[in-house]
């Protein structure tokens, strides 16, 4: 298995632009998580899905952020409009569920810079 | 106060040294505990689980103290390849992992 795939790996955009981050989880995993990591705040959970259904989006910073999971093999995180404070590394992770749900498999991340 | 707190370090130790990290958590209802490792500019990966009875994996030993609400990670005979950030992780009664901000370890020759 190729693991969790994220695209793009790097994104540089100007303030006000729309940004879309993409994730393909590991096949067969029931859970998908979106995280944001910064030096100041560490790794923060933004939202997670179980069987394509959003379960907890309490970590989504504000209405500018939205996430979708239209099917079991694809998810997007969208920021519109983007702001410089959104600059961070965004990780997608998936896990199989059940008793082994604590082991999350992370993608390589998308490094976002908003100027 | 953060739910999971760690000393950010960095811990700079020579090869062969023994080093220990602690992590405290605030929610007494926390059920499961883990250490993840994150190399520089890479994604986090599960290192090991933490059990009340202690858990040893080669040079790594993890301990849990529920009464004091802290978790520890001990690394013996440090290697250069151990240089990384170590993230303490706690689970309550949901599927959410709560990550600490990490402790950075730098092992030098």
């Amino acid at each position: 298995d190729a693991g969790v795939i994220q695209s793009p790996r790097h994104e540089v955009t100007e303030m006000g632009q729309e940004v879309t981050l993409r994730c393909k989880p590991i096949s067969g995993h029931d859970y998908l998580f979106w995280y944001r990591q910064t030096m100041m705040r560490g790794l923060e959970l933004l939202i997670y899905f179980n069987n394509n259904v959003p379960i907890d989006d309490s970590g989504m910073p504000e209405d500018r952020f939205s996430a979708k999971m239209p099917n079991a093999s694809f998810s997007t995180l969208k920021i519109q409009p983007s702001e410089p404070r959104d600059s961070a590394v965004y990780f997608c992770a998936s896990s199989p569920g059940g008793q082994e749900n604590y082991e999350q498999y992370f993608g390589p991340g998308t490094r976002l810079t908003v100027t | 106060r953060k739910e999971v707190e760690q000393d950010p370090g960095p811990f700079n130790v020579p090869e062969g040294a023994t080093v220990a990290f602690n992590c405290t958590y605030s929610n007494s209802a926390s059920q499961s505990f883990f250490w993840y490792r994150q190399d520089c500019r890479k994604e986090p990966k599960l290192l090991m689980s933490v059990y009340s009875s202690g858990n040893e994996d080669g040079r790594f030993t993890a301990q849990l103290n529920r009464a004091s609400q802290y978790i520890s990670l001990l690394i013996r005979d440090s290697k250069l390849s151990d240089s990384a950030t170590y993230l303490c992780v706690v689970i309550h009664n949901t599927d959410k992992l709560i990550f600490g901000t990490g402790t950075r370890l730098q092992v030098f020759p």
Side-chain angles (χ1 to χ4, degrees):
Chain A
D1 199 318
V4 176
I5 299 172
Q6 290 187 247
S7 65
R9 296 290 306 275
H10 301 272
E11 178 80 33
V12 180
T13 190
E14 292 183 348
M15 182 173 64
Q17 296 298 307
E18 178 179 294
V19 175
T20 299
L21 311 181
R22 297 173 176 79
C23 174
K24 176 179 168 54
I26 293 172
S27 177
H29 280 191
D30 293 335
Y31 287 79
L32 184 139
F33 304 81
W34 281 102
Y35 291 91
R36 176 173 67 178
Q37 187 174 40
T38 61
M39 287 292 292
M40 291 298 295
R41 301 173 68 90
L43 198 61
E44 300 174 286
L45 177 65
L46 300 177
I47 185 172
Y48 78 95
F49 297 82
N50 180 15
N51 292 320
N52 313 337
V53 176
I55 302 301
D56 186 343
D57 66 353
S58 59
M60 296 285 262
E62 48 199 89
D63 292 345
R64 298 185 298 107
F65 286 68
S66 62
K68 294 182 180 180
M69 192 165 185
N71 57 62
S73 59
F74 183 66
S75 177
T76 59
L77 177 67
K78 185 176 293 186
I79 308 172
Q80 166 64 20
S82 58
E83 297 183 2
R85 59 190 169 126
D86 301 331
S87 298
V89 180
Y90 291 80
F91 287 105
C92 174
S94 69
S95 64
Q99 292 185 338
E100 295 184 354
N101 210 33
Y102 58 83
E103 181 161 13
Q104 295 187 1
Y105 297 79
F106 284 74
T110 295
R111 187 170 296 272
L112 173 65
T113 303
V114 183
T115 60
Chain B
R1 184 186 173 196
K2 290 181 183 292
E3 285 196 64
V4 180
E5 299 212 49
Q6 296 182 250
D7 181 342
F11 285 61
N12 296 305
V13 303
E15 275 187 291
T18 295
V19 62
F21 312 133
N22 284 335
C23 161
T24 58
Y25 60 94
S26 60
N27 190 333
S28 59
S30 299
Q31 297 180 335
S32 305
F33 310 88
F34 308 91
W35 286 100
Y36 271 64
R37 170 189 167 133
Q38 185 173 22
D39 292 329
C40 186
R41 301 180 78 85
K42 297 287 189 181
E43 69 273 19
K45 293 182 180 179
L46 178 66
L47 178 65
M48 61 194 304
S49 304
V50 186
Y51 306 124
S52 297
S53 56
N55 187 23
E56 187 171 316
D57 183 3
R59 298 181 292 108
F60 297 78
T61 300
Q63 293 275 3
L64 166 64
N65 185 318
R66 282 191 184 272
S68 301
Q69 294 183 204
Y70 79 81
I71 305 148
S72 64
L73 178 67
L74 181 77
I75 305 175
R76 292 180 298 277
D77 188 22
S78 299
K79 312 291 185 189
L80 294 176
S81 58
D82 294 334
S83 298
T85 296
Y86 292 83
L87 302 166
C88 175
V89 180
V90 169
I91 298 179
H92 303 325
N93 58 355
T94 71
D95 299 306
K96 292 165 60 170
L97 272 60
I98 311 298
F99 284 82
T101 51
T103 297
R104 192 156 67 89
L105 171 66
Q106 183 67 49
V107 181
F108 57 89

